[in-house]
Amino acid sequence: MTGHIHSIETFGTVDGPGVRFVVFFQGCPMRCLYCHNPDTWVMGAGREASVEEILRRMTRNAPFYETGGLTATGGEPLLQLDFLTELFEGAKAQGIHTCLDTSGATFDPENGESVERIDRLLRATDLVMLDIKHMDPVAHKTLTGRDNRRILAFAEHLRALGKPMRVRHVLAPGYTDQEESLTALGRYLKDFDNLESVEILPYHALGRPKYENLGIPYPMGDAPQLTSADAAQAYATVRAAMGK
């Protein structure tokens, strides 16, 4: 089986525990205003790669990943669910730690066949890093082009399965940096016993040149970039709402 891959990073240190072999999948159903990878949006673009090719390339440098593993990110990896499942099952057969970085936006809790396919993937997944963009469905749609119903349903599904989960939340000026939205996120997450951590990522404009190269207007305009101090303050608000 082959999939469409945007790129591969062989020494990732921010996409899961330890040093990671990071596969960026092509295709994404959302259009987040602050997205820094617009070149991953189009499904079917990128280059084709097989499971065997990816695992062979990773295992050439196996000692680098002894405390890390394989991360699938994007784009949205779940758009290529069957390929992703085969990749993760192949990795687990070799004792490789697997991490899925996803928005969960493709999850359909009302489609039994789809849920079964997701569960097969999750059996080969050690950790899910879930991007929760905004707790309010209307604000979420403004920010991403979609509401958050399926994303929150996926979070609930992970909790029901007891699947280890880390939540990532981008702190975007004017969109997700209000105290009430951060408090809502913390209150939502406080009862998740499968939650390992919450990471607040400050907005940056490093993806702007990609929009210029693609001839796409940059959605965030001249919005100010935020700092690690801004993220720390936001994290404190989320933690307080979690009762931590």
Side-chain angles (χ1 to χ4, degrees):
M1 183 177 291
T2 60
H4 288 271
I5 300 303
H6 173 269
S7 57
I8 288 175
E9 181 180 353
T10 59
F11 200 80
T13 58
V14 296
D15 298 289
V19 176
R20 315 292 299 183
F21 187 89
V22 185
V23 181
F24 291 83
F25 279 58
Q26 189 70 36
C28 187
M30 297 205 291
R31 295 294 181 266
C32 301
L33 298 182
Y34 50 68
C35 178
H36 59 275
N37 288 323
D39 44 343
T40 66
W41 287 348
V42 178
M43 188 66 192
R47 70 175 185 88
E48 283 193 60
S50 68
V51 168
E52 292 77 11
E53 173 192 345
I54 293 172
L55 292 178
R56 185 168 59 248
R57 183 173 172 185
M58 180 180 180
T59 53
R60 284 180 196 154
N61 299 300
F64 283 121
Y65 310 114
E66 287 181 355
T67 60
L70 172 67
T71 295
T73 184
E76 175 49 68
L78 292 181
L79 282 178
Q80 301 184 63
L81 178 58
D82 294 336
F83 173 69
L84 173 62
T85 300
E86 187 171 304
L87 176 63
F88 273 19
E89 288 179 343
K92 292 309 301 174
Q94 298 187 40
I96 297 170
H97 182 278
T98 54
C99 175
L100 171 63
D101 181 9
T102 179
S103 70
T106 66
F107 180 68
D108 184 357
E110 299 174 1
N111 184 326
E113 180 182 353
S114 175
V115 172
E116 288 180 5
R117 292 170 64 212
I118 286 284
D119 285 350
R120 177 181 168 183
L121 167 67
L122 292 175
R123 285 192 290 272
T125 304
D126 293 304
L127 173 67
V128 176
M129 294 195 301
L130 182 63
D131 298 319
I132 296 184
K133 316 289 186 178
H134 206 295
M135 289 304 301
D136 180 80
V138 175
H140 191 282
K141 190 169 185 177
T142 298
L143 186 62
T144 72
R146 292 184 170 219
D147 67 33
N148 60 3
R149 180 178 61 86
R150 290 189 172 189
I151 294 168
L152 298 184
F154 187 58
E156 298 290 348
H157 190 66
L158 294 174
R159 174 164 63 170
L161 294 176
K163 180 61 59 177
M165 177 179 77
R166 297 181 182 182
V167 166
R168 283 178 157 182
H169 182 72
V170 176
L171 191 68
Y175 294 97
T176 63
D177 58 343
Q178 301 91 348
E179 182 175 355
E180 57 268 29
S181 67
L182 294 166
T183 297
L185 176 63
R187 287 175 176 167
Y188 176 73
L189 293 174
K190 67 179 181 179
D191 294 326
F192 278 73
D193 53 9
N194 63 320
L195 181 65
E196 290 189 351
S197 63
V198 178
E199 184 178 5
I200 305 297
L201 306 173
Y203 162 75
H204 63 72
L206 298 179
R208 184 193 296 269
K210 294 183 180 181
Y211 287 82
E212 295 172 354
N213 291 337
L214 293 169
I216 303 173
Y218 186 60
M220 292 295 288
D222 295 323
Q225 298 189 81
L226 300 183
T227 67
S228 56
D230 295 320
Q233 184 175 355
Y235 177 70
T237 300
V238 173
R239 291 276 293 178
M242 294 175 68
K244 303 292 186 179

